[in-house]
Amino acid sequence: QQALESRSLRAPLRMSKTFKLALCQLPVGADKASNLRVAGEAIREAASNGARMIMLPECFNSPYGTSFFPEYAEEMPGQTSTFLANLARELQIYLVGGSFPERAEGKLFNTSLVYGPNGDLLAKHRKVHLFDIDVPGKICFKESETLSPGNQITVFETEFCKIGLGICYDIRFPELAGLMAKKGAQVLLYPGAFNLTTGPAHWELLIRARALDQLAYVCACSPARDESAGYKAWGHSTICSPWGDVVATTDEHPSTIYADIDLGRVEELRQNIPVFHQRRHDVYTLAETL
């Protein structure tokens, strides 16, 4: 918290119009140390390829499942947060640490940490909307069996632009995306782990929908698929432009995708299609309650 407060007191950052973003679609297994090692290798490779901001998948340090969350949960500072901070500082990158099970306040959270090029903690997002669904005959999953929800809208500032952060199921809620855009976010990041039921039907559709309704770049980073796992991730990490175009994507296998984020394009489209100024605040409102 102190790091976040001290960060907010600094002079405003000068914004650059473009930057290179990488999404690392990682294999995730039962060995936490191995998961961190694999993540470190992918991060180093992406940085060597010129990425200034690198995002990891949801639950990148542990298998995804309610039975695993208590076992792999960490307090802060801990093994995973220290790993992320040190790599961001060493490589001088913005590092969006996917998510991991966080233990705090006597509860468990699905938490994403963002570190800046000097290793400072820029943002911490706890998944606001827990993944509780029941599609008969296909999938039943209840994150709320072990996790508690976060209660904040997360937008952080970089030298490029303001960036909004959600986790997986958060992408289904345009209200959250709208509030991030209202706070000035031009890029929305979602580490996520859709499954083989919702993934083929909704993953790309939701990414493109949020890009269009917020006229922002929307980027979603999944774990690679493990066919032997109880929960099989869809994969297909994707970066979408504010016009709704898919500018980078992949399949279910481990890989890293890249895109040059053109903030001038965001500004241009928000001027050409000025929906933010055309909202009927006399008829409806989009407001933060906490």
Side-chain angles (χ1 to χ4, degrees), residues 1-7 10 13 19 21-22 43 52-57 60 76 80-89 92-100 102 110-127 152-167 180 187-191 219:
Q1 183 65 37
Q2 185 177 0
L4 292 175
E5 290 174 351
S6 64
R7 181 69 185 81
R10 298 177 186 174
L13 294 171
F19 67 95
L21 171 70
I43 292 165
R52 297 293 311 283
M53 181 175 296
I54 300 170
M55 179 163 64
L56 305 181
F60 80 95
M76 287 184 59
T80 299
S81 60
T82 301
F83 162 82
L84 294 169
N86 288 344
L87 261 182
R89 183 184 304 111
Q92 298 187 334
I93 57 170
Y94 292 92
L95 183 53
V96 183
S99 79
F100 72 101
E102 178 202 9
N110 190 342
T111 299
S112 182
L113 305 176
V114 181
Y115 290 92
N118 57 6
D120 280 354
L121 179 64
L122 301 184
K124 178 169 74 172
H125 179 77
R126 291 170 172 168
K127 191 173 189 176
Q152 73 175 29
I153 296 151
T154 304
V155 174
F156 62 95
E157 194 165 342
T158 72
E159 66 195 82
F160 313 118
C161 65
K162 290 183 178 179
I163 295 180
L165 179 62
I167 298 175
M180 291 191 285
V187 179
L188 306 182
L189 304 179
Y190 294 93
C219 317

Side-chain angles (χ1 to χ4, degrees), residues 145-245:
E145 290 176 354
T146 55
L147 298 179
S148 295
N151 59 8
Q152 73 175 29
I153 296 151
T154 304
V155 174
F156 62 95
E157 194 165 342
T158 72
E159 66 195 82
F160 313 118
C161 65
K162 290 183 178 179
I163 295 180
L165 179 62
I167 298 175
C168 198
Y169 202 55
D170 285 339
I171 200 172
R172 288 189 178 271
F173 297 85
E175 300 88 349
L176 184 67
L179 286 167
M180 291 191 285
K182 189 176 181 180
K183 289 174 176 287
Q186 294 180 283
V187 179
L188 306 182
L189 304 179
Y190 294 93
F194 274 37
N195 53 73
L196 300 189
T197 297
T198 60
H202 300 154
W203 175 256
E204 182 181 307
L205 178 63
L206 284 165
I207 296 167
R208 297 180 71 188
R210 294 295 78 80
L212 287 172
D213 58 40
Q214 305 310 324
L215 294 171
Y217 281 91
V218 176
C219 317
C221 186
S222 171
R225 188 179 309 165
D226 179 356
E227 296 292 354
S228 66
Y231 184 96
K232 296 175 179 59
W234 171 237
H236 294 80
S237 297
T238 297
I239 300 171
C240 187
S241 81
W243 188 250
D245 297 322

